Amino acid sequence: MYQHTLFGAYINAIILLLLQRVLLLVASDVDALCACKILQALFQCDHVQYTLVPVAGWQELETAFLEHKDQIKLLVKQDDDLDVPAYDDIFRDEEDEEEDSEDESDGSEPSEKRRRFEEEVIERTMKRRQRREWEARRCSAMVMFDLAWIMSKDLNDMLWWAIVGLTDQWVQDKITQMKYVTDIGILQRHVSRHNHRNEDEENSLSIDCMRIAFEYDLRLALYQHWSLYESLCNTSYTSASLKLWSVQGQKRLQEFLADMGLPLKQVKQKFNSMDVSLKENLREMIEESANKFGMKDLRVQTFSIHFGFKNKFSASDIVYATTSLMENIEKEDSETTNFIKALDSLSRGNLDKLHQGLDLAKKQLRAIQQTVASCICTNLVISQGPFLYCSLMEGTPDVKLFSKPVSLCLLSKYLLKSFVCSTKNKRCKLLPLVMAAPMDVEQGTVIMVGIPPEVESSDKKNFFGRAFEKAAESTNSRTLHNHFEMSIIELKTEDRSKFLDALISLLS
């Protein structure tokens, strides 16, 4: 059976493997969803029955944990049963542990006992540091794939889910470019191992075949399932670089297309309908012109997948589609229903759901870029001293979409990138962004997210989680820290002013 501890705790995803037929899954992003698919596949390999319990936040996690506690038994090794620890012992804040250590060390103890205690504190501190470093290095899906590989149960499908999980972290800007490229190299070796044997049934040239390929592709969202023009206009990188919210930016776009020698009629129709002669050298043509227009990072290392002869998707296509399915607002479905649809879309037998997700993703990207343009053109982004601030008002187009955490985070990151490209204020270019949007009008709440500065650094640490907590405590603001991403909070609308004042004072 399982010889390794399947117990992971991550900011983005928490997965508990409970071998008494219960599986709790925290799915706050596509990475967590992919980790779930790999874990499900492992269960199927060993004919393990399980129950899937999606949870959207800390409150649901605690409720589900306590509800199933009597059925849970954790296994580390085949013969070593462990009692299930209390919820607070598992999901305890590291800062609380450090405070407890300080309190205990204040007492007057015999020197020998104190020495042993100090050694234990140092050991615990080192373990916490190692755990944080390990968690920062790995995405959940890659951890699950490594587990499958160690157990010699890794399949091509599992490898693809690991790739999608890593790509999600890159799209969400949760890892550095260097980290992304390093992990791409690791996965590329697995891709070569799984996809070079044409004689394998899994990789045979049949209508049901599945083949993963490494490639250098364009950093253009969904362009192979859209028109090239729409993709250029609604991709954060190109939109910000060309400043497409301005008249001058639209002129630059026309100049960019002219420099490539692409007729407007061709770039505005669906990519699949473009002339084959144009598509053959399209990447090289775009890259050459992009360099002239200051877009030197338009080429990116990635993977694509082929299902049969017709269906080809890049890893980022899957990320955008699955994210949109999880946060679909067009139907009044429950979060659990959306979760199941998103999970199903990752299976190669559910291409109809995947295509539905692609259509939703196009609408989401359009809504994001239109909102970014509106915020910049109406000067909604203002400097509050230590950070930039932007608030969407009720009645703003697509505001309901941005009550969803991942959509709001994407909007905030795209807005900050665009603002940095548009402002001439050098100091503002180095500031983080706090963004708020209406959450529930009837309950009078807003959702707020903090985004680190738009600079490439050795890490992607976000300090807003602890800052939000301290600002709320100092002002008695009514907040809810229920999201697994600690830089996202819910706040009573009438408390927003005093909360922001405290946040400014705290970060100044």
Side-chain angles (χ1 to χ4, degrees):
M1 187 58 79
Y2 298 90
Q3 300 296 321
H4 300 268
T5 309
L6 302 189
F7 189 102
Y10 314 94
I11 291 176
N12 303 330
I14 299 172
I15 299 174
L16 302 181
L17 175 58
L18 309 171
L19 294 182
Q20 288 286 1
R21 306 296 189 262
V22 178
L23 171 66
L24 297 181
L25 174 78
V26 177
S28 59
D29 54 25
V30 177
D31 178 28
L33 216 63
C34 292
C36 174
K37 289 295 291 186
I38 297 172
L39 201 51
Q40 284 181 309
L42 285 174
F43 282 168
Q44 291 169 4
C45 286
D46 288 339
H47 307 289
V48 175
Q49 297 179 4
Y50 62 90
T51 302
L52 186 61
V53 185
V55 289
W58 290 108
Q59 290 181 340
E60 289 185 18
L61 174 63
E62 182 173 8
T63 300
F65 183 89
L66 296 175
E67 180 181 343
H68 295 284
K69 189 175 186 300
D70 293 339
Q71 309 170 45
I72 297 169
K73 182 179 271 188
L74 292 177
L75 252 61
V76 178
K77 286 194 271 185
Q78 196 166 5
D79 303 321
D80 297 338
D81 291 359
L82 295 180
D83 293 331
V84 179
Y87 176 86
D88 289 338
D89 291 338
I90 299 174
F91 303 106
R92 192 178 188 188
D93 198 344
E94 289 178 359
E95 282 78 4
D96 293 341
E97 292 180 9
E98 291 168 1
E99 289 173 5
D100 290 347
S101 297
E102 291 173 3
D103 292 341
E104 291 174 18
S105 62
D106 289 340
S108 56
E109 302 172 346
S111 58
E112 181 62 26
K113 186 177 180 181
R114 183 179 181 84
R115 185 184 61 78
R116 287 200 305 270
F117 172 77
E118 289 175 348
E119 289 176 354
E120 290 173 1
V121 169
I122 293 172
E123 185 178 355
R124 287 202 303 268
T125 302
M126 290 298 294
K127 286 182 178 179
R128 284 199 299 270
R129 184 178 300 160
Q130 290 170 359
R131 185 180 69 189
R132 285 196 296 267
E133 291 174 353
W134 183 81
E135 288 171 358
R137 289 198 305 268
R138 307 308 307 273
C139 73
S140 305
M142 285 188 68
V143 170
M144 289 296 108
F145 179 76
D146 280 352
L147 175 71
W149 178 51
I150 291 169
M151 297 167 67
S152 300
K153 295 180 184 292
D154 54 313
L155 303 173
N156 220 16
D157 291 274
M158 297 181 189
L159 176 56
W160 176 244
W161 294 326
I163 290 169
V164 173
L166 174 65
T167 306
D168 174 61
Q169 289 203 325
W170 179 72
V171 168
Q172 300 285 347
D173 204 29
K174 292 180 179 178
I175 57 175
T176 63
Q177 182 69 19
M178 181 63 69
K179 174 71 174 72
Y180 173 72
V181 171
T182 300
D183 283 353
I184 283 287
I186 294 171
L187 291 171
Q188 189 176 357
R189 291 192 288 272
H190 289 294
V191 167
S192 299
R193 180 170 57 86
H194 271 280
N195 292 270
H196 78 287
R197 300 187 301 272
N198 290 332
E199 67 272 13
D200 277 5
E201 180 181 348
E202 184 183 11
N203 298 308
S204 61
L205 295 178
S206 69
I207 194 65
D208 297 320
C209 80
M210 169 184 171
R211 182 169 56 85
I212 303 172
F214 170 81
E215 61 185 19
Y216 285 93
D217 203 357
L218 297 172
R219 192 176 177 179
L220 296 176
L222 308 176
Y223 77 95
Q224 296 185 69
H225 309 280
W226 216 348
S227 71
L228 187 60
Y229 183 83
E230 288 276 15
S231 182
L232 283 166
C233 290
N234 294 291
T235 296
S236 170
Y237 179 70
T238 50
S239 175
S241 299
L242 297 172
K243 303 177 184 177
L244 295 184
W245 54 83
S246 64
V247 174
Q248 187 62 33
Q250 290 295 324
K251 289 181 180 178
R252 280 176 58 81
L253 175 60
Q254 301 301 323
E255 293 170 1
F256 176 60
L257 294 174
D259 188 81
M260 289 189 292
L262 293 176
L264 200 58
K265 181 181 178 181
Q266 287 288 324
V267 297
K268 285 194 172 184
Q269 64 183 347
K270 286 187 176 180
F271 181 80
N272 287 337
S273 302
M274 289 180 67
D275 287 349
V276 177
S277 58
L278 290 176
K279 289 196 290 186
E280 284 179 350
N281 301 312
L282 183 65
R283 294 179 187 176
E284 291 76 11
M285 292 165 60
I286 292 179
E287 283 181 47
E288 184 178 348
S289 295
N291 286 330
K292 298 178 185 177
F293 283 76
M295 295 182 288
K296 298 181 179 180
D297 297 321
L298 197 59
R299 189 174 79 155
V300 63
Q301 298 179 45
T302 186
F303 295 93
S304 63
I305 192 166
H306 296 255
F307 296 128
F309 298 104
K310 295 182 179 180
N311 296 291
K312 178 186 177 182
F313 305 94
S314 71
S316 62
D317 293 338
I318 309 299
V319 170
Y320 287 119
T322 310
T323 299
S324 297
L325 286 170
M326 275 200 294
E327 296 197 337
N328 184 11
I329 60 169
E330 292 190 352
K331 295 182 179 179
E332 296 297 326
D333 289 332
S334 66
E335 290 182 345
T336 299
T337 300
N338 287 338
F339 168 86
I340 297 300
K341 287 181 179 179
L343 192 67
D344 289 345
S345 73
L346 291 171
S347 300
R348 60 170 113 167
N350 290 316
L351 292 182
D352 55 335
K353 286 189 174 67
L354 181 57
H355 283 290
Q356 180 189 353
L358 291 172
D359 291 337
L360 288 172
K362 294 172 189 176
K363 295 178 182 179
Q364 182 194 48
L365 290 172
R366 282 197 197 101
I368 288 174
Q369 291 305 326
Q370 289 169 3
T371 306
V372 166
S374 175
C375 290
I376 291 180
C377 292
T378 56
N379 297 315
L380 282 183
V381 182
I382 58 176
S383 173
Q384 292 282 24
F387 58 85
L388 302 170
Y389 178 68
C390 180
S391 177
L392 299 182
M393 304 300 292
E394 184 62 36
T396 303
D398 302 301
V399 73
K400 186 178 179 182
L401 173 65
F402 302 123
S403 67
K404 303 294 184 179
V406 177
S407 296
L408 181 62
C409 286
L410 278 176
L411 170 65
S412 303
K413 288 164 184 172
Y414 289 8
L415 177 58
L416 182 57
K417 187 186 296 290
S418 298
F419 180 81
V420 166
C421 290
S422 68
T423 185
K424 296 179 181 179
N425 188 319
K426 293 183 179 180
R427 181 178 176 276
C428 285
K429 290 177 182 288
L430 303 176
L431 294 179
L433 171 68
V434 174
M435 188 156 193
M439 179 88 180
D440 190 315
V441 178
E442 293 181 359
Q443 295 185 9
T445 58
V446 296
I447 181 172
M448 192 175 288
V449 61
I451 303 297
E454 181 65 23
V455 292
E456 183 67 23
S457 60
S458 59
D459 56 52
K460 289 288 182 180
K461 290 183 179 178
N462 191 326
F463 58 83
F464 275 109
R466 178 56 70 184
F468 283 164
E469 288 181 358
K470 290 184 176 180
E473 289 171 3
S474 65
T475 57
N476 292 321
S477 297
R478 292 162 291 176
T479 60
L480 180 61
H481 302 262
N482 189 42
H483 296 275
F484 299 114
E485 189 68 56
M486 297 304 293
S487 58
I488 302 174
I489 65 164
E490 297 171 31
L491 174 73
K492 278 289 185 179
T493 306
E494 54 262 35
D495 291 342
R496 174 164 45 179
S497 179
K498 65 179 182 180
F499 176 84
L500 286 173
D501 287 343
L503 194 62
I504 293 169
S505 175
L506 187 66
L507 298 178
S508 294

